[in-house]
Amino acid sequence: MSATFTITTNSAEETQAFGAAFSAVLPAGAVLILSGDLGAGKTQFVKGLACGLGSEDKVTSPTFNIMHEYRALGWPVLYHFDLYRLDDSAQLDDLDYFAYLDNEIITVVEWGDRFSDALPGDYLRLAFSFGAGNERRITVSARGSLSTRALAAWD
Ligand SMILES: Nc1ncnc2c1ncn2[C@@H]1O[C@H](COP(=O)(O)OP(=O)(O)OP(=O)(O)O)[C@@H](O)[C@H]1O
Ligand SMILES: [Mg+2]
């Protein structure tokens, strides 16, 4: 991991706004691995991300069906996974998970750090944690050259 930064938000709307702004630095094929407890704000961030990527599709946690695809002008712009309900990483192969990570579409994965053997070589990690009240802290770090460049572009 190289440089990191932490931002603090005080409402769901602020977390969405960060997601929308952050979408601007993401290169084609970027992978975002989101970690943090239930209710920490991961899905709120993804709402902003989808909006920033031009999609008007409704964003919800894909907890039961594992993956949602969001489109803009008919084209996929974001794949949204939630691995919370997966029992083991072997199931990821059945979902074609690695094929989704390894293409030109941006992919965001809630609970993406659940299986350490399933992390890609290059990704942005966003760790969500709780502050007082509605405060949330989001710490962003990068692994791999593509993601490290994206992080530098945010600065
Ligand atoms: N600063 C904040 N950022 C994001 N959400 C906030 C904030 N303050 C309050 N909230 C509320 O916290 C909840 C966050 O829910 P969200 O679905 O985004 O969590 P999650 O991390 O995706 O949880 P899960 O692991 O269950 O999918 C929402 O009800 C939202 O309104
Ligand atoms: Mg969620």
Side-chain angles (χ1 to χ4, degrees), residues 42-43 61 82 110:
K42 301 180 294 296
T43 301
S61 249
D82 186 330
E110 296 191 42

Side-chain angles (χ1 to χ4, degrees), residues 47-145:
K47 278 187 186 180
L49 196 60
C51 181
L53 294 170
S55 180
E56 295 176 354
D57 293 346
K58 185 173 159 57
V59 171
T60 55
S61 249
T63 306
F64 292 98
N65 33 0
I66 313 290
M67 200 277 282
H68 288 162
E69 178 185 299
Y70 307 121
R71 293 178 170 246
L73 302 173
W75 295 94
V77 290
L78 182 63
Y79 297 129
H80 180 195
F81 283 87
D82 186 330
L83 306 188
Y84 185 68
R85 285 192 185 262
L86 276 200
D87 299 320
D88 73 276
S89 59
Q91 294 170 275
L92 292 169
D93 284 321
D94 302 333
L95 296 166
D96 258 345
Y97 180 67
F98 300 102
Y100 282 105
L101 296 190
D102 191 18
N103 63 32
E104 293 298 291
I105 308 297
I106 293 168
T107 303
V108 62
V109 190
E110 296 191 42
W111 296 92
D113 64 337
R114 270 198 79 202
F115 310 106
S116 55
D117 57 336
L119 287 168
D122 194 309
Y123 62 94
L124 288 149
R125 182 187 153 94
L126 286 83
F128 290 68
S129 61
F130 292 86
N134 287 332
E135 192 179 290
R136 303 289 194 276
R137 279 183 302 273
I138 309 167
T139 298
V140 186
S141 53
R143 188 191 163 103
S145 56

Side-chain angles (χ1 to χ4, degrees), residues 143-155:
R143 188 191 163 103
S145 56
L146 191 74
S147 295
T148 300
R149 276 202 300 278
L151 197 57
W154 174 260
D155 274 344

